Every structure is written in C-alpha cells, then in structure tokens.
C-alpha cells in the first residue's frame, strides 16, 4: 500500500476548497433579497401615497366651500354639504355622463366582438398573409393618435358623422382594436387545441366553435381587455374634442364627460365655485373605481393566465 505525502501548502489549499456544511453566499443572497424587497415595497408605498392623496383631496373638496378648499388641502370639511353634487349634475355633468354611456354601450361590445373574432382567426387558423395582417393590427397600437387627427377629421366629415354618436363609436372601435387583437391573440394561442379538435369532430361549425367553445374558455382574457377598453374610452379626451364639436349654430352639444369637465372648469373658474368642479370630477371617477375594484381579481387572472399556461 502506497502512502501519498502532500506538501503543507497543498493540504491547506484542499482544505479551503472542500465544501463546508453551509452553502457559500447564502447570507449574501438573503441580504440582497431583503434589500430588494424593502426597495420594491417602499417604491410601491410611495407610489400609492402619490395616487391616494390627490383622490382624498378631490373627494374632500367636493364637500367643502371655496374658502375651505383654499385652506388646508386634506382637512375635513366643517360641514358635510352635498349641494355641490346636485349643482354639478344640473350644470351639465348629467348630460355629459349620459352621452358617454350612450357611446360606450355600443363601442365597447363592438370592440370586444370584432377584436376577439380577428384575434381568434389569426391565432388558430394559419393562412397566407396571417402574420402581415397580425403585425398590421399591432402596428396600430404603436401609432400615436394625434398624428392621425387631421385625416381622421376629414374622413369623418366626408361621412357626415361629425358631432354624432355613430361617428365616435366607429372611431372608438378602430382606436381600441389594435390592443384588443394583440392581447386576445396571445390568449387564444394558449387555449388547448384538443377541445377545438373535439368540437370539429362533433361537426360544430366555425361560428359555433367560436361562440360556444372558445369564447367561454377565454373569459378571463375578455374581462381583462374589456376593462382596459372601458377605462381607455371613458378617459379619452383628444378624439371627442376633435370629432364632437357643434358644426352649426343649431347643432346640439353632444360633449363627452372629459369635454364636459373642461367646460365645467372654465365656468367654475369664472364663478369661483370650485366645489362643483370637484364634485363633477368625483362623479366621473366613481364609476371607473367601482368597475376596477369589482373586477380586480379577474383582471389579474387574465393578465397572468397566458403566462402560467
């Protein structure tokens, strides 16, 4: 039996390189993760404060007087008055609210229907020109709206649809289609193919497969993109400002809610009745907060389902 004698330097080097009972770098990774968590949570906390404080100031201002609004921003009202909401409603917010609802009742369902149908065909049926058509839709999401305002105005004017509900509905649908197709295309590609093939074997038509099989399976994605479309169209200002202006003296005002808030700002600035302006903004804000908080879990599920599948 041969005994190997190692030099003291070699023995010390092997001792240093031998694995120890504890993994090296664990404490460092743990400290780095803790620092990252503290930074991320701190950033989210600051972001939440920057969003919540203006909302609180806005809502509290609806119950104050002009003198109290000019004082402390976040102080509680001396007397909780609700007259500002009724004055804002009678000064035009009610009609602006109704006009916005009329447009969105048609624009959002049409956007969801046409966008989902286009995304389904592009995602599930390979054909010549599939990718160019898909990239054509996606490129629309990267095209700034204000670059197309002038040709869009003359196009709608040629169709005699300026200051009309149907003209704005068609523009809203075209404006929201790129993002809807992009989002639903990715979602439809994640749905199982076996269910689609089983429906084809059973003799179901393409229309029946889409409405009775694929659409129910895509419900989380439809809810998510539907909420985004509602928020985007509800807060749209540029398109209504260009397309919903009275063309003649006898042409009625069909202002959307965002336009109405600007008009209300001008009026209340001259009349120094800021609580009415705060109440009008609060009325415009409450429906979107209710919609988002009601469907918050569905939105998160729709955004993460495509990744998890």
């Amino acid at each position: 039996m041969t005994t190997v004698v190692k030099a003291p330097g070699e023995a010390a080097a092997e001792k240093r390189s031998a694995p120890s009972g504890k993994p090296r770098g664990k404490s460092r990774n743990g400290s780095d993760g803790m620092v990252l968590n503290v930074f991320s949570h701190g950033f989210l906390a600051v972001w939440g404060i920057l969003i919540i404080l203006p909302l609180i100031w806005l809502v509290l201002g609806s119950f104050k007087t002009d003198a109290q609004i000019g004082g402390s921003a976040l102080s509680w009202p001396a007397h909780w008055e609700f007259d500002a909401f009724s004055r804002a409603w009678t000064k035009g917010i009610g009609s602006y609210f109704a006009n916005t609802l009329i447009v969105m009742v048609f624009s959002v369902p049409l956007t969801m229907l046409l966008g989902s149908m286009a995304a389904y065909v592009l995602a599930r049926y390979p054909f010549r020109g599939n990718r160019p058509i898909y990239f054509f839709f996606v490129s629309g999401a990267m095209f700034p709206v204000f670059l197309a305002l002038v040709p869009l105005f003359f196009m709608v004017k040629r169709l005699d649809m300026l200051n009309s509900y149907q003209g704005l509905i068609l523009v809203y649908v075209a404006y929201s289609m790129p993002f809807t197709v992009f989002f639903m295309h990715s979602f439809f590609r994640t749905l199982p193919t076996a269910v689609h093939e089983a429906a084809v074997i059973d003799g179901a038509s393409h229309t029946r497969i889409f409405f009775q099989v694929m659409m129910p399976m895509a419900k989380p994605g439809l809810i998510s993109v539907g909420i985004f479309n509602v928020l985007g169209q509800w807060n749209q200002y540029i398109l209504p400002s260009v397309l919903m202006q009275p063309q003649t003296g006898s042409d009625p005002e069909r202002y959307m809610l965002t336009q109405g808030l600007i008009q209300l700002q001008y009026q209340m600035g001259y009349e120094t009745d800021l609580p009415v302006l705060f109440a009008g903004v609060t009325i415009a804000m409450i429906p979107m907060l209710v919609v988002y908080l009601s469907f918050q879990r569905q939105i998160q599920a729709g955004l993460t389902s495509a990744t998890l599948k």
Side-chain angles (χ1 to χ4, degrees):
M1 182 176 182
T2 305
T3 304
V4 180
V5 180
K6 298 182 179 180
E10 296 178 356
E14 289 184 2
K15 185 176 181 180
R16 287 195 301 268
S17 62
S20 58
K22 297 180 179 180
R24 299 181 63 185
K26 182 177 181 180
S27 59
R28 180 180 178 182
N29 293 334
S31 61
D32 292 345
M34 183 178 298
V35 171
L36 182 61
N37 289 334
V38 171
F39 176 78
S40 60
H41 285 76
F43 176 77
L44 292 176
V46 173
W47 189 13
I49 292 173
L50 292 176
I51 294 176
I52 293 175
L53 287 182
L55 295 180
I56 295 176
W57 172 68
L58 183 66
V59 175
L60 291 179
S62 305
F63 302 95
K64 295 181 180 180
T65 61
D66 287 310
Q68 293 175 353
I69 292 176
S72 179
L74 298 178
S75 62
W76 291 97
H79 300 284
W80 293 84
E81 302 289 343
F82 294 88
D83 294 339
F85 291 93
S86 60
R87 296 200 306 272
W89 191 266
T90 56
K91 286 183 179 295
I93 291 297
S95 60
Y96 306 147
F97 197 94
N99 293 336
T100 306
L101 286 180
I102 291 173
V103 172
M104 294 189 62
V105 163
F106 294 96
S107 63
V108 173
L110 279 176
T111 301
M112 299 302 301
L113 177 62
L114 300 178
S116 299
M117 294 173 67
Y120 170 71
V121 172
L122 294 173
R124 309 294 296 196
Y125 295 94
F127 57 90
R128 181 178 298 180
N130 184 301
R131 301 306 292 174
I133 295 175
Y134 170 72
F135 288 123
F136 175 76
F137 276 109
V138 174
S139 63
M142 298 180 290
F143 191 81
V145 180
F146 57 85
L147 293 181
L149 288 179
V150 174
L152 181 63
F153 175 82
F154 286 105
M155 184 182 297
V156 177
K157 182 179 181 180
R158 181 171 296 182
L159 296 174
D160 197 19
M161 290 185 177
L162 288 176
N163 198 30
S164 63
Y165 296 132
Q166 58 269 27
L168 190 61
I169 289 171
L170 293 177
V171 173
Y172 274 3
V173 172
Y175 169 78
S176 305
M177 279 284 287
F179 176 74
T180 304
V181 172
F182 171 75
F183 188 93
M184 294 306 300
H185 180 273
S186 302
F187 199 89
F188 277 125
R189 289 179 66 89
T190 63
L191 298 181
T193 309
V195 180
H196 181 272
E197 293 176 350
V200 173
I201 294 174
D202 290 341
S205 62
H206 296 293
T207 305
R208 184 175 181 183
I209 292 174
F210 174 73
F211 285 104
Q212 297 186 3
V213 178
M214 307 306 291
M215 287 282 282
M217 295 174 62
K219 183 179 178 180
L222 290 172
I223 294 177
S224 299
V225 74
I227 296 301
F228 286 126
N229 285 328
V230 169
L231 294 175
Q233 296 180 13
W234 184 271
N235 297 322
Q236 182 60 237
Y237 173 72
I238 297 179
L239 294 176
S241 298
V242 175
L243 303 177
M244 299 298 288
Q245 296 290 343
Q247 302 302 306
T248 60
S250 59
D251 200 6
E253 294 183 352
R254 296 189 177 97
Y255 290 150
M256 297 295 105
L257 193 56
T258 50
Q259 294 175 273
L261 290 176
I262 299 298
Q263 297 294 327
L264 190 64
Q265 179 185 2
Y266 293 149
Q267 297 176 12
M268 296 306 102
Y270 293 116
E271 297 179 10
T272 63
D273 194 358
L274 292 179
V276 172
L277 178 61
F278 282 61
V281 178
T282 303
I283 293 173
M285 177 183 63
I286 288 177
M288 295 300 100
L289 287 178
V290 172
V291 169
Y292 182 80
L293 293 177
S294 301
F295 296 96
Q296 182 179 5
R297 293 185 178 180
Q298 289 83 350
I299 294 174
Q300 295 175 356
L303 292 176
T304 58
S305 58
T307 304
L308 296 178
K309 289 180 181 180

